[in-house]
Amino acid sequence: MNTLITKYRIWFIIIPVIITILMIVPLWKAKINSDLMKYLPEHIESKINLERLEKTFGKYDPLVIIFETADVLDKSFLKRMQNINTAMIRQKEFKDVISLFELKYIRGEDGMMLVDPVITKIPETEAAIKNLREEIINNSLVYKLLVSEDFRYTMILVNPEEDISDAKALEIINQILSANKGDENIYLSGLPFLRDEIQKKAIRDLSILFPLGLLIMISFLYLSFREMRGVWLPFTVVIISVALAMGMMPLLHYELNIIAVLIPIMMIAVANNYGVHIIARYQELNALNPRWSMKKIVGETMSVLYIPLILTALTTIFGILGLLVHIMLPAKQMGIVSAAGIAFALILSLFFIPAVMTGQKKGKVKNNFKGDGKSVVDKFMVWAGNVVTKNPLRVIIIFLSVLIIAGTGIFYLKVSINLEKMMPVSHPLRISTQIVNTYFGGTKNISILFEGDILSPDVMHTMDEFEARLETLPEVGSVNSLATVIKTISRALYDPGDDFYNVIPDSREAIAQYIEFYNMSGDPDDFEKMVDFNYTSAILNVQFKAKDMTDFRKVTAFINELINESEYSTLQAGQSLMEKEMSESIIRGQIYSLLFAMSAIALLLGLIFKSFTAGIMGIIPLLFALICNFGLMGWSGFDLDIATSLLSSVAIGIGVDYIIHFFWRIKFELKREKNYKSAIVTTLNTTGRGIAINAFSVIIGFSVLLLSGLTILKTFGLLIIFSLLLCLLCALLLVPAICLIFKPGFLLK
């Protein structure tokens, strides 16, 4: 290898630079996909059902505007609302607008049925306001759906045309709201708002966190090595690896997404690992062999490290590739491009760094490597050596105690089903979600599809029965369908106490006549979101709230029971069901990726050291870190979500490196006829220093995620730091203690 590097030194330097330039170019065409529903594969049931529903009834993905005021029937407020409503209706970019000025009030007058907007004229007197209030209370299509029970909140729902971007729709809405300012508080909600916020924050994170991460990494490397080559060589590897990983996404036709923000941060944390070990070994040999030339030091460094570097890279790659069995598409994509980036970082470390170093002069000695160093890392290594060699059994008992205490938190671990939790607590989306859950029946919506002769009494009575039974669930806020409208029409046509008041007729002709009565005074298009033109398909809408997966499953299971009891109801669909599917896929993805990564790592370690024991010992610290990590999540109330479901593969892939470097060095020391105690002490004072610097550089690299604008990335950053810190402590304390007590045979081979 040394001869090859010397012979083609210039090419090993030039080629990576060319590759970097070529890979940066495609990034200009990359787009951020913030549509979380597209993160799921096409074949999942909830996605197929939703597409089937949208073919008949159109796509309904509204922006929700919530107004908070002392009284929504205040004259000045209603005038502003009317102006806002009129302005939005005039926008060609909006397909539907639902408000108090658009929804209908069905009533009877002088033996006739009248259909008018809820507000036809803004009330000027107290008597008119009182009358309007009573009309709204008696309107089941509006009360508690569009106006809160206490009349403090009301909403406007805007459904943009399908070809209008979220950013454009929000821009128009904000312009209209700005032109009609008042004293009321205004909150935005809905998936389009969430998607737009994700896109903005993802772009902000990519533009700010990556440069900041690089700056932090540079500072840490300089403080660790006190030598510029120890800074700019790993830095260059990181830059080139990031360019390759991110540049692969558009080449593979992957869109940037919320998960893609993690890729450059992970490259900062991981891609410098191999360079760190090379610099650490170079400094060790430079100190211990002052007469050696730079070429000899570099040659000796690479001859000792190239195998452990390759092995650690392979285990990291296999750990990251555990994401390939994850059901979420962004996770799979992250696994592929991250693995490629890490592989390229390894190649650069094996060829680019030595090629550059052989042309440099030796640096000054920074450490004597005799265990009396003054840096924090050196002192920690001395302390670790003393603790492990004096009482290894106590070390193991302490780790077991921590494992039991922390691990019990797993029983409290929950899966996130509320996408708004991606945002900070103070974010307007979180506030609007709380308002909808408290005053409007909930943010979750499911549609039940009915097929057949919709106007037949059997179908109508089935819908009515569904409504009545669903309303018994405490989680359900409202249920409405064409059956709701038919009963509302009956109340307009008949007086209380009449046999036909508030009931569905028992003949198809009577039901059809009700519809005709409505069409004479109202607009037939009012029903387009409830029933198709031929009256062969209809939907029943269920609005509910769910604080966790248990509530969600309770509602969907109840709906499934109803569907199975009826020949007319065929399926349930909606964005909320896709959110549920996403949450359940997180659980499955976590389990699959964990099993794949653990099995792959155990197998690789077994093959590397030709020992089944090595595989088991290698995954013990990884299991310890992951169990404690998920236990911490349970105790602290952190939910398992899109980002934290990636923890297993990432932590395993990175953490196993520390174990391999430790095993490799202690084998080397034991070959020199040292006993276990002295071999462990020497390993900790030399390779242990590189492991610690490596680990802290990774931890510091991920720490920039704590500044992310997205809560889920902040949480991921905190938890991955915790996991890697545990992996480090296991590598420097637990594994040496186990080696000292059990003296595994594979280390002596």
Side-chain angles (χ1 to χ4, degrees), residues 1 27 30 56 68 153 212 271 273 319 323 335 346 404 565 648 654 692:
M1 177 180 281
L27 280 175
T56 303
E68 179 188 16
Y153 299 95
L212 182 61
N273 290 359
L323 295 173
L346 170 68
I404 293 170
E565 292 174 6
S648 297
I654 298 173

Side-chain angles (χ1 to χ4, degrees), residues 354-415:
V356 173
M357 289 182 69
T358 52
Q360 295 179 315
K361 295 181 180 179
K362 286 171 48 176
K364 294 181 180 179
V365 174
K366 305 296 179 181
N367 191 315
N368 60 21
F369 294 89
K370 295 180 180 179
D372 57 357
K374 296 181 180 180
S375 71
V376 174
V377 173
D378 293 328
K379 291 179 179 178
F380 177 77
M381 291 301 105
V382 173
W383 173 83
N386 290 333
V387 168
V388 170
T389 54
K390 287 181 180 178
N391 204 328
L393 184 60
R394 182 182 295 175
V395 171
I396 294 174
I397 291 172
I398 291 173
F399 272 84
L400 280 174
S401 301
V402 172
L403 179 67
I404 293 170
I405 295 171
T408 53
I410 291 177
F411 296 106
Y412 303 99
L413 185 60
K414 295 181 180 179
V415 181

Side-chain angles (χ1 to χ4, degrees), residues 18-31 206 210 238-256 260 263-264 267 333-334 336-338 340-341 344:
I18 296 173
I19 291 175
T20 303
I21 296 171
L22 293 176
M23 295 306 289
I24 288 176
V25 174
L27 280 175
W28 296 110
K29 300 179 182 179
K31 298 178 180 179
L206 281 172
F210 178 56
V238 167
I239 293 294
I240 297 175
S241 301
V242 169
L244 181 89
M246 296 300 289
M248 280 185 66
M249 296 196 74
L251 289 178
L252 295 173
H253 304 290
Y254 296 163
E255 291 182 307
L256 295 181
I263 296 172
M267 287 296 104
Q333 295 168 1
M334 176 180 174
I336 292 171
V337 300
S338 297
F344 200 63

Side-chain angles (χ1 to χ4, degrees), residues 418-465:
N418 296 304
L419 299 178
E420 70 276 359
K421 286 189 175 181
M422 293 183 178
M423 300 298 163
V425 176
S426 59
H427 193 276
L429 186 64
R430 297 285 291 269
I431 299 172
S432 64
T433 300
Q434 186 177 358
I435 291 171
V436 175
N437 281 329
T438 304
Y439 297 98
F440 294 100
T443 57
K444 307 300 181 188
N445 290 277
I446 291 177
S447 296
I448 304 173
L449 178 65
F450 285 78
E451 294 180 303
D453 182 4
I454 300 303
L455 296 183
S456 73
D458 288 343
V459 175
M460 282 293 168
H461 283 300
T462 302
M463 283 187 176
D464 189 40
E465 182 187 356

Side-chain angles (χ1 to χ4, degrees), residues 18 51 61 106 172 255 267 419 501 584 664 749:
I18 296 173
E51 289 174 355
D61 191 12
I106 305 171
I172 295 171
E255 291 182 307
M267 287 296 104
L419 299 178
Y501 180 82
E584 290 175 336
W664 204 264
K749 291 180 181 179

Side-chain angles (χ1 to χ4, degrees), residues 252-377:
L252 295 173
H253 304 290
Y254 296 163
E255 291 182 307
L256 295 181
N257 51 65
I258 187 173
I259 301 301
V261 176
L262 293 173
I263 296 172
I265 305 302
M266 189 165 71
M267 287 296 104
I268 292 175
V270 178
N272 69 55
N273 290 359
Y274 317 114
V276 164
H277 282 286
I278 291 172
I279 299 299
R281 181 64 174 169
Y282 147 75
Q283 287 191 337
E284 179 188 348
L285 292 177
N286 189 30
L288 299 178
N289 304 278
R291 294 185 179 181
W292 283 10
S293 66
M294 188 63 170
K295 185 176 179 180
K296 182 173 177 58
I297 291 174
V298 173
E300 185 66 21
T301 296
M302 298 312 299
S303 66
V304 172
L305 286 182
Y306 83 93
I307 292 180
L309 289 180
I310 291 173
L311 297 180
T312 53
L314 286 175
T315 51
T316 299
I317 288 169
F318 271 87
I320 297 295
L321 286 178
L323 295 173
L324 288 178
V325 296
H326 203 294
I327 194 170
M328 300 283 288
L329 295 178
K332 294 176 184 284
Q333 295 168 1
M334 176 180 174
I336 292 171
V337 300
S338 297
I342 293 168
F344 200 63
L346 170 68
I347 294 171
L348 290 171
S349 300
L350 292 177
F351 297 100
F352 173 77
I353 290 180
V356 173
M357 289 182 69
T358 52
Q360 295 179 315
K361 295 181 180 179
K362 286 171 48 176
K364 294 181 180 179
V365 174
K366 305 296 179 181
N367 191 315
N368 60 21
F369 294 89
K370 295 180 180 179
D372 57 357
K374 296 181 180 180
S375 71
V376 174
V377 173

